[in-house]
């Protein structure tokens, strides 16, 4: 094993595997932006020449923009509410000794595992029993159920790393609970809050199954895309739109991860050891 | 027992966590401007008592008065005390000046005045010009000074310190001890200092309360605690101590006539202790109060013979373990090396004579165990 650290010695086979894995993972996705520039309504090689007309077409469709607007509106509300509830939950879980704490936590995180279709059907049945008409509000409610555990899971580590003596120091220096939250807790968990906002927004934006069950006449973007797939001539526009969403999603996820990492790095740097 | 100049008055305070009694009924008066230490091993209740003064722990029974006002219903952020935390609890998202000025928000002072106060405090703890540094750029000693400055800027009536020097290395700790003492004299407020380090408590304090098992064993000045411990537990906790079993042979004129293992017949002041003939007691003596001689000294004082069992050279002084006939444990004797020839292993096995000054012996009742 020549020079270098034992634990860091290179493994050629694993490196190749990693490259193949990433290539296979993203190859299908790459076809979407590729064919969105194809000057033909059929997705097949060889490509018929480059065009941006699908993007221009996309630009002029009001239904697309209405669906996008719905998605963004629901996404913002869902991300803000689920992150807010997540902050409260994470603080309670890390701060207090609650009887049956692990059971409650498991219960709160359960929607991560339970298939969305089950929640979707259950909510649909419940709402129709209660006579509540389907709308963007019911869609938001469904998204909230899915997003809340993600918010809690994102925020918990930030709150767990939070030293209780900092709260005590703030109280000792004359600040009540409210000011302590704004001057100490909030700035320290802010990276987690931002990461949670971005993550839950993305999840809400992507969500299909729950939305499919719970949406009324106003649809979100994923539902709109799905409805357009029945018409072959619409397909290139859908590809163009997907490419745009793909690009935006990538940016958002990277920003979320970067912010989360920055917070962790700062925490390590603060540790004198 | 409540003295008129008591600034902090702890009256029959107890603390229970469920069935566990962390603090038995404790009463304590601390004077204004006093450097008062709570000394004890971990689990002795010293930190709990300090946290009760700060308001972080509720009081199960009794009452704490600070400057005459009862504290039971006063939340931590309204108490006239500030605290230096064991891990300093420096806000990591704020720089040094923001940390020190944290408590000033509520005073609604002009920005310029706040900055002025922060600079004054930083100068006081000898960190002038460090205001813009981030918390993680500071060494342990500097963090400790920031914690001090942050607590003192609000001009508290009492400063609480929870083992503030525990995390520092020996040299820095000694330096900070001197500095703490200087600070306390300079600002003249009451310091309540929690430590498990008896040397630190002796060095710094005006008075010390020795705690064990949630109770206070003795409250006294460092010298009184060291020279005249009242119980065996206190004697054993502060410094090194030899304990010799003894039997009471009689009492006369305030003196107890004793038969002490290894030392023979002795008379010691009973100091008000009611001892009956035949009672088993204990005699304590500090290692540095015993004197070693090569041959039987000619003076009038009593001398006993023993054999050196072990010699340890410690630089400034040497430690001897001397076996006395009729004694279960060897007697520990400490000698300044400047007074004698340095210790040498060849001395082991030699026969020596031991003398002591009469006031070196402390008569203690045996612990009721």
């Amino acid at each position: 094993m020549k020079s270098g650290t034992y634990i860091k010695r290179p493994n050629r086979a694993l490196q190749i595997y990693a490259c193949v894995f990433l290539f296979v993972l993203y190859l299908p996705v790459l076809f979407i932006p590729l064919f969105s520039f194809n000057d033909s309504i059929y997705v097949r090689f060889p490509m018929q020449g480059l065009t941006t007309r699908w993007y221009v077409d996309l630009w002029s469709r009001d239904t697309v923009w209405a669906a996008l607007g719905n998605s963004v509106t629901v996404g913002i509300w869902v991300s803000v509410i689920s992150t807010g509830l997540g902050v409260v939950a994470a603080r309670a879980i890390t701060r207090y000794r609650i009887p049956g704490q692990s059971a409650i936590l498991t219960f709160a995180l359960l929607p991560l595992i339970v298939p969305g279709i089950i929640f979707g059907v259950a909510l649909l049945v419940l709402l129709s029993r209660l006579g509540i008409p389907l709308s963007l509000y019911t869609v938001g409610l469904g998204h909230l159920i899915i997003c809340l555990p993600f918010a809690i899971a994102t925020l918990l580590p930030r709150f767990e790393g939070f030293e209780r003596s900092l709260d005590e120091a703030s109280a000792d220096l004359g600040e009540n609970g409210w000011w302590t939250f704004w001057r100490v807790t909030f700035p320290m968990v802010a990276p987690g809050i931002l990461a949670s906002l971005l993550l839950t927004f993305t999840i809400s934006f992507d969500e299909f199954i729950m939305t499919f069950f719970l949406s009324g006449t106003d649809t979100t973007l994923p539902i709109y895309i799905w409805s357009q797939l029945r018409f072959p001539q619409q397909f290139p526009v859908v590809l163009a739109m997907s490419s745009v969403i793909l690009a935006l999603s990538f940016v958002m996820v990277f920003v979320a991860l970067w912010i989360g990492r920055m917070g962790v790095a700062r925490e390590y740097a603060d540790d004198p050891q | 027992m409540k003295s008129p100049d008591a600034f902090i008055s702890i009256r029959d305070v107890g603390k229970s966590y469920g069935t566990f009694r962390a603090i038995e009924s404790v009463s304590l008066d601390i004077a204004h401007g006093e450097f008062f230490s709570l000394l004890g091993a971990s689990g002795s209740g010293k930190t709990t008592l300090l946290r009760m003064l700060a308001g972080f722990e509720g009081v199960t029974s009794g009452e704490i008065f600070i400057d005459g006002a009862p504290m039971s219903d006063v939340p931590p952020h309204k108490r006239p005390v500030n605290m230096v935390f064991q891990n300093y609890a420096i806000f990591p998202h704020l720089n040094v000046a923001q940390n020190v000025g944290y408590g000033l928000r509520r005073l609604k002072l002009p920005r310029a005045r706040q900055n002025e106060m922060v600079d004054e405090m930083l100068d006081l703890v000898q960190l002038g010009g460090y205001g813009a540094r981030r918390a993680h750029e500071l060494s342990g000693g500097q963090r400790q000074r920031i914690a001090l400055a942050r607590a003192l800027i609000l001009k508290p009536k009492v400063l609480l310190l929870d083992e503030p020097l525990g995390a520092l290395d020996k040299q820095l700790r000694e330096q900070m001890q001197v500095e703490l003492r200087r600070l306390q004299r300079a600002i003249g407020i009451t310091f309540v200092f929690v430590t498990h380090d008896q040397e630190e408590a002796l060095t710094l304090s005006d008075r010390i309360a020795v705690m064990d098992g949630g109770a206070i064993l003795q409250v006294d000045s460092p010298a009184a605690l060291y020279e005249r411990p009242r119980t065996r537990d206190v004697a054993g906790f502060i410094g090194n101590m030899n304990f010799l079993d003894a039997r009471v042979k009689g009492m006369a004129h305030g003196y107890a006539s004793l038969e002490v293992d290894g030392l023979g017949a002795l008379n010691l002041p009973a100091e008000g202790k009611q001892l009956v003939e035949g009672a088993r007691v204990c005699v304590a003596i500090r290692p540095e109060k015993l004197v070693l001689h090569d041959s039987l000294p000619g003076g009038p004082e009593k001398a006993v013979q023993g054999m050196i069992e072990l010699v340890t050279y410690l630089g400034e002084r040497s430690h001897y373990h001397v076996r006395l006939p009729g004694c279960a444990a060897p007697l520990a004797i400490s000698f300044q090396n400047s007074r004698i020839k340095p210790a040498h292993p060849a001395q082991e096995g030699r026969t020596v004579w031991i003398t002591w000054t009469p006031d070196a012996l402390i008569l203690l009742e045996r612990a009721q165990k």
Side-chain angles (χ1 to χ4, degrees):
Chain A
M1 54 162 273
K2 294 154 249 151
S3 63
T5 316
Y6 169 72
I7 204 90
K8 290 180 184 165
R9 71 203 184 286
N11 183 326
R12 185 62 62 191
L14 280 181
Q15 287 169 347
I16 293 168
Y17 164 75
C19 291
V20 170
F21 178 86
L22 288 174
F23 183 72
V24 171
L25 184 66
Y26 284 104
L27 184 68
V29 178
L30 290 176
F31 279 111
I32 291 172
L34 185 67
F35 280 99
S36 71
F37 293 105
N38 187 17
D39 197 1
S40 158
I41 60 168
Y42 300 108
V43 178
R44 74 161 82 99
F45 285 110
M47 284 169 67
Q48 301 296 307
L50 291 176
T51 178
T52 54
R53 72 178 159 113
W54 308 121
Y55 286 88
V56 176
D57 195 4
L58 175 68
W59 189 256
S60 60
R61 285 201 197 193
D62 289 342
T63 45
V64 173
W65 291 104
L68 180 67
N70 289 341
S71 274
V72 170
T73 309
V74 170
I76 287 173
W77 278 105
V78 166
S79 62
V80 168
I81 294 173
S82 61
T83 301
L85 294 175
V87 167
V88 178
R91 193 173 132 93
I93 289 164
T94 52
R95 179 67 93 84
Y96 303 108
R97 210 176 291 169
I98 308 161
Q101 182 160 342
S102 63
I104 292 172
L105 185 60
T106 309
F107 208 67
L109 297 180
L110 206 59
L112 288 174
I113 309 157
V114 174
I117 193 160
I118 291 178
F119 269 113
V121 171
L123 263 180
L124 182 62
V125 170
L126 180 71
L127 291 171
S128 59
R129 281 274 144 208
L130 293 174
I132 297 169
L134 297 180
S135 65
L136 287 181
Y137 291 102
T138 53
V139 170
L141 186 69
H143 287 190
L144 207 54
I145 290 172
I146 294 177
C147 287
L148 189 57
F150 281 97
I152 293 174
T154 311
L155 290 161
L156 258 186
R158 303 272 342 159
F159 276 86
E160 267 165 0
F162 192 86
E163 264 195 75
R164 178 179 284 211
S165 63
L166 293 178
D167 275 353
E168 287 181 347
S170 174
D172 186 64
L173 295 167
E175 296 293 19
N176 60 23
W178 176 250
W179 277 99
T180 295
F181 181 80
W182 281 114
R183 296 189 69 192
V184 179
T185 316
F186 184 74
M188 289 201 59
V189 300
I193 288 174
L194 208 51
S196 166
L197 283 174
L198 291 173
L199 183 67
T200 50
F201 179 85
T202 312
I203 291 167
S204 163
F205 195 83
D206 273 352
E207 218 291 323
F208 180 80
I209 298 172
M210 290 274 253
T211 319
F212 183 69
F213 280 99
L214 299 174
S215 58
T217 46
D218 292 322
T219 58
T220 62
L221 205 53
I223 302 292
Y224 175 80
I225 292 173
W226 180 79
S227 68
Q228 295 303 300
L229 289 179
R230 279 171 295 172
F231 314 110
Q233 66 273 26
Q234 304 290 352
F235 195 65
V237 178
V238 169
L239 284 180
M241 185 165 46
S242 302
S243 305
V244 173
I245 294 169
L246 194 64
L248 288 177
S249 302
F250 261 105
V251 170
M252 279 188 55
V253 168
F254 273 108
V255 168
L257 287 176
W258 182 64
I259 289 166
R261 189 130 24 114
M262 204 169 58
V264 172
R266 199 174 65 186
E267 205 149 89
Y268 278 116
D270 285 338
D271 202 324
Q273 265 78 46
Chain B
M1 176 174 160
K2 183 175 175 175
S3 52
D5 61 337
F7 188 70
I8 300 173
S9 190
I10 298 169
R11 296 268 70 92
D12 307 318
V13 162
K15 174 79 186 175
S16 306
Y17 297 100
T19 54
F20 173 67
R21 285 191 65 73
I23 302 276
E24 301 291 342
S25 178
V26 159
S27 290
L28 195 61
D29 286 318
I30 300 172
H32 185 79
E34 199 171 15
F35 198 126
F36 193 93
S37 290
L38 298 170
L39 174 64
S42 61
S44 61
K46 57 189 192 305
T47 298
T48 306
L49 195 57
L50 191 82
R51 289 173 58 80
M52 285 160 101
L53 284 173
F56 299 136
E57 301 287 346
V59 172
T60 310
S61 60
E63 181 63 276
I64 293 171
F65 298 88
I66 297 176
D67 204 7
M71 287 290 129
S72 286
D73 299 323
V74 183
H77 64 274
K78 292 193 175 148
R79 295 202 180 191
V81 303
N82 284 122
M83 182 151 160
V84 174
F85 289 81
Q86 187 168 14
N87 60 0
Y88 313 140
I90 304 292
F91 301 120
H93 58 296
L94 302 177
N95 68 21
V96 168
Q98 287 166 333
N99 261 287
V100 173
Y102 186 87
L104 296 178
R105 181 195 67 84
R106 285 178 334 116
L107 305 184
K108 308 253 188 297
L109 300 168
R111 188 38 73 202
R113 175 73 193 118
Q114 288 194 21
N115 294 341
E116 208 177 297
M117 286 174 78
V118 168
D119 288 343
E120 272 170 33
M121 278 328 290
L122 285 176
D123 284 339
L124 185 68
V125 296
Q126 300 174 354
L127 279 178
Y130 278 70
R133 299 271 181 107
R134 307 284 309 181
H136 60 80
E137 295 172 316
L138 302 171
S139 70
Q142 288 169 334
R143 293 161 82 87
Q144 212 255 354
R145 287 158 202 252
I146 301 300
L148 263 173
R150 187 178 69 178
L152 290 173
I153 199 166
L154 293 168
K155 314 230 178 310
K157 294 173 176 175
V158 179
L159 184 70
L160 308 173
L161 303 107
D162 186 9
E163 305 223 19
L165 309 179
L168 307 180
D169 60 54
K170 190 173 184 294
Q171 254 182 332
L172 196 54
R173 196 161 64 226
E174 282 167 7
Q175 194 186 324
M176 283 308 297
Q177 284 175 6
V178 175
E179 209 156 305
L180 268 183
R181 195 67 220 187
R182 176 186 68 83
L183 257 177
Q184 197 259 342
R185 294 250 166 82
I187 53 184
I189 64 168
T190 310
F191 275 33
V192 182
F193 186 90
V194 158
T195 182
H196 66 270
D197 184 335
Q198 41 108 357
E199 219 175 291
E200 194 167 279
L202 291 177
T203 314
L204 289 170
S205 321
D206 294 317
R207 283 194 307 151
I208 300 169
V210 181
M211 294 190 69
D212 187 39
I216 291 179
L217 301 179
Q218 186 172 351
V219 184
D220 248 321
S221 69
L225 273 181
Y226 190 83
E227 303 289 342
R228 291 282 142 201
R230 274 209 296 273
T231 65
R232 215 192 133 127
D233 285 335
V234 174
F237 193 69
I238 311 259
N240 294 317
M241 190 67 104
N242 292 301
F243 294 105
L244 297 166
D245 286 336
R247 186 178 292 276
V248 179
K249 289 193 298 186
M251 294 278 291
H253 312 299
Y255 274 79
S257 175
L258 305 169
E259 179 65 33
V260 185
D261 286 359
L263 301 186
L266 287 169
N267 287 327
L268 286 180
E271 289 171 334
K273 293 182 183 71
Q274 295 304 311
L275 301 169
V276 292
E277 200 179 320
R280 298 204 56 89
V281 291
C282 173
V283 167
I285 182 163
R286 296 279 177 201
E288 72 275 11
K289 303 218 164 170
L290 291 161
V291 186
L292 279 179
H293 305 270
D294 284 336
S295 55
L296 182 64
E301 74 268 31
K302 194 177 166 84
V304 294
Q305 200 177 26
M307 188 196 77
I308 297 180
E309 205 172 71
L310 184 74
V311 181
T312 319
Y313 177 69
L314 294 170
E316 55 173 323
R317 69 214 136 81
S318 295
H319 272 190
Y320 296 80
H321 279 182
V322 178
R323 175 71 62 181
L324 294 183
C327 240
L331 210 55
I333 300 175
S334 176
F335 238 56
Q336 289 294 130
N337 281 336
S338 58
R339 286 165 63 187
I340 51 154
K341 276 184 293 186
H344 196 272
Q347 291 168 305
E348 286 172 11
R350 271 179 50 191
T351 301
V352 286
W353 292 86
I354 298 165
T355 60
W356 58 91
T357 48
D359 65 343
L361 297 181
I362 306 158
L363 175 59
L364 298 169
E365 283 171 279
R366 284 163 69 94
Q368 279 85 43
K369 278 179 186 166

